[in-house]
Amino acid sequence: MNRLAASALISLALMGFAAPSAMADSAPAPVEVAETDTSWYSGGVAVSGRDVVSYFTEGEPVEGSETFSTTWQNAEWQFSSQENLDAFEENPQHYAPQFGGYCPNALALGELKVGTPEQFAVIDEKLYLNYNYDSNLAFRNDTNNLIARANVNWSDVVTRR
């Protein structure tokens, strides 16, 4: 599938024209891997400095601090308290966003877009960051299908890195 077709599918899906069953029947699209990106997967400050533990304890992103920070998977992770830092260090895989912080909705449709901290969903004790409001809404409306498709495409992204 070329980029134009993938963009058209995303537009239709976000506007509500693509039926979830139609998306489930088609094969996952190949993912274009950007040369550079700003996800935690590529290093830097993870989740724009938000405390990832706060998504689970507060139900929203809270600004982290350099005072409470650690390095994990080549990125700096910041927290709002020592307690949250300790929780993360005990089990970082639990708190880190799925798909390296990339948007699962875009990934399911064959695109690699960095999720934003404010557009999130915690599903089955896993954190997902979506690209924008519409993407977050689409993700919440078809979670299981989009996660399954994103998992297939994520495997492709990881093997090409």
Side-chain angles (χ1 to χ4, degrees):
M1 175 180 297
N2 66 33
R3 291 184 64 79
L4 183 58
S7 294
L9 278 175
I10 289 171
S11 296
L12 290 172
L14 292 177
M15 293 185 321
F17 292 108
S21 61
M23 290 175 61
D25 293 338
S26 63
V31 178
E32 296 288 325
V33 179
E35 291 296 317
T36 60
D37 64 59
T38 57
S39 74
W40 69 264
Y41 198 76
S42 67
V45 177
V47 194
S48 301
R50 301 311 191 284
D51 177 345
V52 292
V53 175
S54 72
Y55 289 95
F56 298 88
T57 60
E58 305 292 323
E60 64 184 2
V62 173
E63 193 69 35
S65 166
E66 290 181 12
T67 303
F68 308 108
S69 67
T70 190
T71 301
W72 181 70
Q73 288 199 349
N74 216 24
E76 179 186 350
W77 297 78
Q78 298 179 350
F79 302 90
S80 58
S81 68
Q82 184 65 47
E83 179 181 44
N84 286 5
L85 169 59
D86 293 344
F88 180 83
E89 287 183 324
E90 186 175 310
N91 191 0
Q93 291 86 359
H94 173 73
Y95 296 105
Q98 302 299 296
F99 307 116
Y102 292 106
C103 175
N105 188 46
L107 187 58
L109 296 170
E111 291 195 2
L112 200 59
K113 293 184 178 183
V114 176
T116 58
E118 293 76 22
Q119 299 303 323
F120 69 95
V122 176
I123 309 292
D124 295 330
E125 288 297 307
K126 294 180 181 179
L127 174 61
Y128 298 89
L129 301 178
N130 289 288
Y131 179 68
N132 60 24
Y133 174 83
D134 290 334
S135 183
N136 197 31
L137 183 61
F139 178 73
R140 288 172 179 266
N141 287 331
D142 195 17
T143 304
N144 292 335
N145 179 42
L146 292 172
I147 289 172
R149 293 172 54 86
N151 274 318
V152 171
N153 282 339
W154 183 242
S155 296
D156 184 42
V157 169
V158 171
T159 59
R160 290 192 283 156
R161 283 194 173 262

